[in-house]
Amino acid sequence: MNMKEVGYRKEMDKEADKETDNEMDTDLLYSGMNADLIKDMADKKEVLWFNANLESVTPMSEMAGRKFVYIRAAQNRLLRFMPYIEKFFPETEERKGIIESQLLVLPEFSKYVRENYPDFRGRILLKDDAHLPIAGSVKARGGIYEVMVHAEKLAMKAGLLQPTDNYLKLDSKECRDLFGKHTVQVGSTGNLGLSIGIMSAKFGFKVIVHMSADAKQWKKDLLRSHGVTVVEYEGDYSSAVEQGRRLSAEDPMSYFVDDENSEDLFLGYATAALRLKVQLFKAGIAVDEMHPLFVYLPCGVGGAPGGITYGLKQIFGDYVHCFFAEPIATPCFTLGMASGMKSEISVYDIGLDGTTIADGLAVGRASEIVCDAMDTLVSGSYTVEDDNLIKYMKMLNDMEDVFLEPSACAGVHGLMLQGSGKMQAYIDKNGLTDCMAGSTHLVWGTGGGLVPDNVKAELLKS
Ligand SMILES: *Cc1c(COP(=O)(O)O)cnc(C)c1O
């Protein structure tokens, strides 16, 4: 694995960053809120941050300016599309066109954690989004949902579709002709491009995916095989998004899926919570006052973990504790939240170079809408070294025969934090000390299902 290749950025981008951020006062950064933590991040140390603004919430109430009905509406839209999804993505046949992943118990890995981390209490579960149909990553939730919203709007506006229709109608000649006149564009480090690209191409849209330097070759090849135009950039994720946004704006027939600002993506991710509730219930796993649920979510720009957290807080309120996980090279969310500067600061501002094996999380600047939405909902976040990501990837593969890509393993690290003094302080402060034995720890495994065998073998050897 050539680590240089993944985080390569053009000098030009760094200059551009410097220009836009010339207001940045780093002295203030290192003397203000969470100064020590920010210093540790700049020194590429693993850190654990807790959200001092965390507030108590009531399930199904208005949160972060959004109502619970928005999630319900998103869920209903997904249901309307079931016949279409079932027909065109045979891997969803078993679930009649529902795009969902399994909840896995990890017997061997749980044994390992208990033996090596004697302070660990509770049950371990994995949400296997690496094997979500169609896109093989958590992006199948937000990305596919947003393309559905777009297709539905266009078809309804043209009078070709009613909400009560069988959505197989979207494959009619009229609809396909309509979609063929429109372009969908997106900027991506890889996985979002896959989900938007595959879904949009299926509807018959023209698709352009703007890929950052981090994007893996196989992801570009796979997209091209679906007839998607892939434009490659030497810059990072933010610059790919920026280029895509600009080019799309020049074309009135083009729609840009804006990962940094999209409400639809966010809500698509949020629906995961409704499904998880049912899965936990069916598995006989309680989430209540005596049975807290800890969730560890890999974070790039923040949309996926943010949307899922928003959904989980709507469902479980104060009984769920969500933590975001980032590589030490791109802790954009942790940095934004800990400094209070949210999307106003990038990891390059503290001298990090963004080089990480976790290409799905290689994002230098967090989403503004996600930072705002998470202000009172997220419990905290932490960072993980690449070596640990590789270690967890190998362990899950060897012990459980579950393959996750390195980015997707960032959640695993959350389990190892329970014994730490800082996490114990959080547990004590939230009155959870006596119920940790009944706690559930859910690692969100966010991707890896489409990784080709040769790339997989290469990663497992690294
Ligand atoms: C995109 C991605 C994430 C994080 O999603 P964001 O919306 O960028 O925060 C996590 N894991 C994998 C594998 C991803 O591709």
Side-chain angles (χ1 to χ4, degrees):
M1 171 60 48
N2 178 1
M3 304 275 284
K4 267 253 110 39
E5 176 193 312
V6 248
Y8 173 71
R9 302 182 78 231
K10 240 180 161 179
E11 281 313 308
M12 217 174 69
D13 291 334
K14 290 187 187 162
E15 285 307 315
D17 255 350
K18 272 185 210 147
E19 262 172 46
T20 51
D21 293 324
N22 58 6
E23 305 288 309
M24 180 73 49
D25 186 344
T26 45
D27 285 347
L28 200 66
L29 207 54
Y30 294 121
S31 63
M33 191 168 44
N34 289 307
D36 291 344
L37 187 102
I38 293 166
K39 173 119 199 356
D40 283 349
M41 272 191 275
D43 292 340
K44 301 187 185 169
K45 289 189 187 143
E46 287 183 342
V47 301
L48 171 57
W49 166 78
F50 292 97
N51 183 9
N53 297 343
L54 181 66
E55 281 178 14
S56 178
V57 291
T58 314
M60 302 192 193
S61 61
E62 180 162 328
M63 283 178 202
R66 291 172 191 80
K67 298 190 178 117
F68 181 67
V69 295
Y70 295 171
I71 305 183
R72 272 267 181 262
Q75 164 98 332
N76 287 342
R77 179 170 285 112
L78 288 168
L79 298 181
R80 291 199 292 276
F81 274 88
M82 280 167 65
Y84 184 95
I85 297 294
E86 183 185 9
K87 169 146 188 220
F88 292 102
F89 299 98
E91 70 263 39
T92 66
E93 247 170 49
E94 220 175 293
R95 284 195 166 95
K96 300 275 175 234
I98 290 182
I99 301 164
E100 196 41 76
S101 71
Q102 281 182 293
L103 200 52
L104 303 177
V105 287
L106 306 171
E108 289 302 311
F109 185 71
S110 300
K111 206 166 101 194
Y112 163 85
V113 174
R114 285 206 182 84
E115 281 170 10
N116 290 275
Y117 298 85
D119 293 330
F120 182 85
R121 299 277 177 279
R123 173 205 321 259
I124 297 172
L125 294 174
L126 179 78
K127 185 69 176 136
D128 188 17
D129 273 9
H131 296 93
L132 271 178
I134 306 174
S137 81
V138 68
K139 303 293 194 308
R141 299 184 183 281
I144 289 173
Y145 176 73
E146 177 149 359
V147 178
M148 286 175 177
V149 174
H150 183 55
E152 190 185 55
K153 271 189 193 154
L154 287 175
M156 285 184 179
K157 209 169 147 202
L160 298 172
L161 184 74
Q162 303 283 332
T164 48
D165 282 338
N166 181 327
Y167 272 39
L168 277 174
K169 237 185 161 174
L170 291 167
D171 193 47
S172 64
K173 182 168 182 317
E174 292 81 1
C175 284
R176 294 193 66 82
D177 285 350
L178 171 71
F179 298 150
K181 291 189 201 121
H182 291 261
T183 306
V184 174
Q185 305 198 44
V186 64
S188 173
T189 64
N191 285 340
L192 184 65
L194 284 180
S195 97
I196 301 285
I198 294 171
M199 193 65 228
S200 304
K202 188 61 82 179
F203 281 126
F205 287 111
K206 284 181 271 190
V207 198
I208 305 174
V209 176
H210 303 269
M211 289 275 203
S212 61
D214 316 270
K216 295 281 181 281
Q217 189 58 42
W218 69 265
K219 294 183 182 176
K220 298 174 193 168
D221 296 342
L222 181 59
L223 276 173
R224 288 186 174 124
S225 79
H226 284 266
V228 171
T229 303
V230 177
V231 188
E232 301 176 50
Y233 296 91
E234 285 179 56
D236 78 341
Y237 165 80
S238 300
S239 65
V241 170
E242 191 148 334
Q243 298 284 350
R245 195 186 281 136
R246 188 174 57 75
L247 289 168
S248 186
E250 288 170 3
D251 178 357
M253 298 300 274
S254 175
Y255 177 78
F256 186 66
V257 177
D258 197 330
D259 197 14
E260 288 175 339
N261 298 299
S262 171
E263 192 79 26
D264 287 327
L265 274 177
F266 190 82
L267 288 169
Y269 289 125
T271 59
L274 306 180
R275 303 269 177 73
L276 182 68
K277 181 189 175 173
V278 175
Q279 288 183 323
L280 287 169
F281 179 78
K282 283 188 176 164
I285 297 168
V287 179
D288 56 31
E289 193 165 5
M290 287 313 288
H291 303 89
L293 172 64
F294 285 72
V295 187
Y296 307 103
L297 298 143
C299 173
V301 72
I308 294 170
T309 294
Y310 169 74
L312 290 172
K313 297 300 275 189
Q314 287 281 9
I315 297 293
F316 299 115
D318 294 341
Y319 303 143
V320 66
H321 305 268
C322 298
F323 290 87
F324 290 8
E326 299 181 296
I328 53 168
T330 52
C332 61
F333 180 80
T334 310
L335 176 62
M337 297 301 274
S339 65
M341 297 176 74
K342 299 189 172 165
S343 62
E344 298 290 306
I345 188 168
S346 91
V347 300
Y348 312 116
D349 295 327
I350 58 166
L352 295 172
D353 67 1
T355 304
T356 171
I357 191 168
D359 54 320
L361 313 179
V363 177
R365 189 185 299 276
S367 152
E368 186 177 350
I369 70 160
V370 172
C371 289
D372 287 343
M374 290 301 103
D375 201 26
T376 57
L377 300 180
V378 74
S379 290
S381 62
Y382 59 84
T383 60
V384 199
E385 287 177 5
D386 279 13
D387 285 352
N388 277 329
L389 295 178
I390 304 265
K391 186 173 96 181
Y392 303 142
M393 173 187 70
K394 289 180 181 168
M395 286 168 104
L396 288 175
N397 188 69
D398 296 349
M399 295 178 182
E400 306 290 349
D401 202 22
V402 174
F403 178 80
L404 298 180
E405 62 183 88
S407 299
C409 297
V412 175
H413 195 66
L415 301 171
M416 318 311 181
L417 299 172
Q418 203 189 117
S420 75
K422 280 173 102 181
M423 189 59 103
Q424 193 53 51
Y426 174 88
I427 290 168
D428 292 342
K429 189 174 157 209
N430 287 278
L432 303 171
T433 315
D434 295 335
C435 42
M436 288 312 282
S439 63
T440 297
H441 297 262
L442 178 63
V443 172
W444 214 284
T446 45
L450 296 186
V451 177
D453 285 341
N454 63 327
V455 177
K456 212 184 272 188
E458 189 80 14
L459 279 168
L460 289 168
K461 257 195 335 218
S462 60

